[in-house]
Amino acid sequence: MKQITECITGAHNSYPEKVLQFGEGNFLRAFADWMIDTANSSGVYQGSIVICQPIEQGLKDMINSQHGIYTVAMRGLENGKAEERFHQVTSVSRCISPYEDYESLLEIARSSDLEVVISNTTEAGICYQEGMHVCDQPPVSFPGKVTAFLYERFKAFRGAADKGLLFLPVELIDNNGDELKRIVLQHAQEWELGAEFIAWINKANVFANTLVDRIVTGYPRDQLDYFFEKLGYSDNLITTCELFNLWVIEADKKNAATLPIHETAANVIWTDNVKPYKKRKVRILNGGHTSTILAAYLAGHDIVLELMQDEIFVGFLRKLLFEEVIPTIDLPKDELEAFANDVLDRFSNPYIKHKLLDISLNSCSKFSVRCLPSLLDYAETNGKLPEALTFSFAALIQFYKPDATAGENTGRRGDGTTYPIRDDKQVMEFFSNIWATEDTAAITKATLSHKDFWNGRDLTEVPGLEERVAYYLEALQSRKIPEIITEITA
């Protein structure tokens, strides 16, 4: 079979290298690089991407052997129908490793073409590390590399105000742009790089906070024959993802002209406040998962697609999202409902086999962040409890019930199958101890009053919550879950 380079040419990889990207993994290639290539194909942009490996081991050689060309396979539901689309990305000019050739990174710092820096170095990438210096080749940490890179650029252009860069980090931490800037400034101060350089960082460069959303399932190792047969070529860098995409960028909208990816079919929002969009994602997408999957697993389902094929659970999820969660978010209702409908389609994606047990990891802390704020906001605003979310709380406690005959940290479903309960040690020990009583009222009281789980709040003080969770928890001991949630959605 032919290689991708024999069939696809690099239509855009000869454009000026306007984008430096720290990270060559599946997510950025299926997300940011796809967006930039789409902008190039649409004629609204003319820029290529030079990728920098953030760590010593990476895909540099493979990317360069394919001249930066690879395929993105996007699959999902659209208007209720399964869709599969392929996009050949040709906007990557090359990939460099600063560990093999540090000068190649400094050359990019001195380039007048460069305008944007994108990064995805994992949540641990944006962190402060001591013991480095600007003369290190390269500094070990990502913020250290950025500081040295900016200092080289500052010197090359003598602090020119128009040679600052737009930083778009997508690492999954709060205020990712602000945090990156904070650490860069700390290094600049500690390395004694001068007041003029620090002022230039602050005035000439933009560190945007961002929110990203796309499920990228990566290299389809078990489906290569299918894809290569369909495409007519082999591709060592092919990556798969869902159709849905969202990039929210918190920055002055004048910066959008620097990278006009919002002018394409990509779902890009430039805003002055990313927080409402993060709340929307956490409460609707993540909260929708966490509030539903535990009950669904206990009821016998194993993957998200199965629960989305169960009309009873779909009705429960719709009630939870549209009647209980959406009213707690301060964004236009039509936008929220459109996003929630997209979420339902994403959960129903026939190409993704997302295991409920995988999602169940650390459910206690997830419930506290993703679901509890909606429950409390709804109760405070409406003077009554949201029934679906309240039942989800009981299902959480039930999921953590250990089965004495099945072994440590093991639960048992109604059909007799066992499952591992995975969470922090102290969480596991707490539930193991309280379930020894078999008294659902006492178990509920102990759980809701455990302030360490709920951001320091005693939830028995929420009017009616203890009684209602206890009611549902007792029901879960003797009744089938579909029967209970049918009453909730009636």
Side-chain angles (χ1 to χ4, degrees):
M1 179 171 284
K2 291 183 178 181
Q3 300 291 314
I4 186 173
T5 51
E6 299 177 77
C7 302
I8 308 297
T9 59
H12 309 125
N13 59 14
S14 60
Y15 284 162
E17 290 177 339
K18 296 182 180 181
V19 179
L20 170 64
Q21 178 172 296
F22 285 90
E24 79 284 26
N26 286 306
F27 182 80
L28 282 182
R29 289 190 294 109
F31 185 76
D33 298 351
W34 163 76
M35 289 186 181
I36 291 169
D37 194 75
T38 300
N40 281 330
S41 300
S42 302
V44 300
Y45 190 60
Q46 289 189 334
S48 67
I49 307 153
V50 54
I51 297 176
C52 176
Q53 282 185 193
I55 58 176
E56 287 194 60
Q57 303 301 317
L59 299 175
K60 177 182 74 70
D61 292 341
M62 188 178 295
I63 289 172
N64 290 335
S65 71
Q66 292 193 181
H67 311 308
I69 303 169
Y70 64 93
T71 310
V72 179
M74 298 168 284
R75 307 186 293 175
L77 284 183
E78 188 169 80
N79 299 321
K81 295 182 180 180
E83 292 284 344
E84 190 172 50
R85 298 175 190 154
F86 300 98
H87 183 105
Q88 288 78 28
V89 173
T90 67
S91 294
V92 175
S93 60
R94 58 190 169 122
C95 183
I96 66 169
S97 169
Y99 300 91
E100 297 176 3
D101 181 10
Y102 186 53
E103 178 59 26
S104 64
L105 181 59
L106 297 183
E107 285 178 0
I108 297 167
R110 298 189 290 266
S111 169
S112 59
D113 292 326
L114 187 66
E115 297 175 339
V116 179
V117 178
I118 299 170
S119 68
N120 186 22
T121 56
T122 77
E123 294 90 320
I126 300 181
C127 64
Y128 171 78
Q129 288 182 239
E130 58 184 11
M132 297 182 296
H133 193 269
V134 70
C135 295
D136 293 346
Q137 298 190 16
V140 174
S141 75
F142 169 55
K145 292 182 181 68
V146 170
T147 308
F149 183 89
L150 284 175
Y151 189 56
E152 183 72 16
R153 188 169 183 83
F154 171 78
K155 293 186 296 181
F157 294 105
R158 299 180 181 179
D162 63 346
K163 288 299 184 286
L165 301 172
L166 170 63
F167 284 84
L168 300 174
V170 305
E171 288 84 354
L172 298 178
I173 61 172
D174 287 341
N175 304 312
N176 44 22
D178 290 341
E179 188 64 8
L180 176 59
K181 182 179 180 179
R182 181 188 68 79
I183 301 172
V184 167
L185 288 171
Q186 183 175 353
H187 285 313
Q189 186 74 36
E190 292 176 349
W191 296 350
E192 299 180 345
L193 301 181
E196 290 186 8
F197 175 56
I198 291 173
W200 182 78
I201 293 175
N202 280 314
K203 295 179 181 179
N205 298 271
V206 175
F207 292 79
N209 295 320
T210 74
L211 170 71
V212 295
D213 192 2
R214 173 172 250 186
I215 297 172
V216 175
T217 41
Y219 187 67
R221 193 175 304 278
D222 59 343
Q223 293 183 291
L224 292 179
D225 290 344
Y226 166 79
F227 282 115
F228 294 170
E229 180 70 24
K230 198 171 185 69
L231 293 167
Y233 57 76
S234 63
D235 179 359
N236 291 322
L237 292 167
I238 184 172
T239 185
T240 59
C241 63
E242 65 176 337
L243 293 171
F244 182 88
N245 64 92
L246 173 66
W247 197 352
V248 183
I249 303 171
E250 184 181 273
D252 192 308
K253 291 185 180 179
K254 67 182 182 182
N255 293 286
T258 303
L259 190 66
I261 49 179
H262 61 289
E263 296 182 18
T264 72
N267 189 10
V268 179
I269 299 172
W270 293 82
T271 179
D272 59 1
N273 186 6
V274 75
K275 289 181 175 62
Y277 296 95
K278 180 178 181 180
K279 180 186 286 189
R280 181 181 76 172
K281 176 179 182 287
V282 169
R283 294 198 181 189
I284 295 179
L285 173 66
N286 305 124
H289 261 156
T290 299
S291 60
T292 311
I293 62 101
L294 300 181
Y297 184 78
L298 292 172
H301 296 308
D302 292 311
I303 62 175
V304 174
L305 183 60
E306 288 178 5
L307 82 86
M308 295 305 296
Q309 293 170 337
D310 184 328
E311 291 183 3
I312 293 175
F313 272 98
V314 171
F316 175 80
L317 180 58
R318 290 189 67 87
K319 176 180 178 63
L320 186 145
L321 293 180
F322 288 89
E323 297 181 24
E324 298 182 356
V325 175
I326 283 178
T328 71
I329 306 172
D330 187 20
L331 280 172
K333 184 179 179 181
D334 58 341
E335 289 184 19
L336 294 170
E337 291 183 343
F339 183 78
N341 281 316
D342 283 338
V343 164
L344 294 176
D345 280 347
R346 296 170 72 186
F347 287 0
S348 302
N349 190 333
Y351 300 102
I352 297 178
K353 314 300 183 186
H354 205 166
K355 294 181 180 179
L356 303 184
L357 270 182
D358 289 344
I359 306 172
S360 76
L361 177 68
N362 299 329
S363 282
C364 192
S365 60
K366 287 178 180 176
F367 191 91
S368 179
V369 171
R370 301 174 175 185
C371 309
L372 184 59
S374 296
L375 188 158
L376 296 177
D377 285 352
Y378 182 97
E380 183 177 349
T381 301
N382 296 280
K384 61 179 181 179
L385 294 169
E387 288 297 323
L389 283 165
T390 302
F391 170 77
S392 296
F393 208 156
L396 169 78
I397 301 171
Q398 180 70 27
F399 182 84
Y400 280 83
K401 179 181 181 180
D403 188 289
T405 64
E408 188 178 9
N409 302 331
T410 302
R412 188 180 298 275
R413 296 197 283 191
D415 62 3
T417 57
T418 61
Y419 59 90
I421 306 170
R422 296 177 296 166
D423 211 312
D424 292 338
K425 182 180 179 181
Q426 60 268 30
V427 175
M428 310 282 279
E429 289 178 347
F430 171 82
F431 281 108
S432 179
N433 290 334
I434 65 168
W435 269 109
T437 69
E438 293 289 342
D439 181 340
T440 53
I443 291 167
T444 301
K445 185 177 186 64
T447 303
L448 270 61
S449 61
H450 198 288
K451 295 181 180 181
D452 289 348
F453 289 171
W454 320 121
N455 299 313
R457 182 162 183 176
D458 182 348
L459 298 181
T460 62
E461 296 173 355
V462 178
L465 183 61
E466 180 183 348
E467 293 78 11
R468 202 62 183 156
V469 172
Y471 165 79
Y472 284 126
L473 188 59
E474 180 61 28
L476 285 167
Q477 308 314 303
S478 57
R479 298 172 60 191
K480 293 186 179 300
I481 290 174
E483 176 188 336
I484 301 172
I485 64 176
T486 296
E487 289 183 5
I488 293 172
T489 57

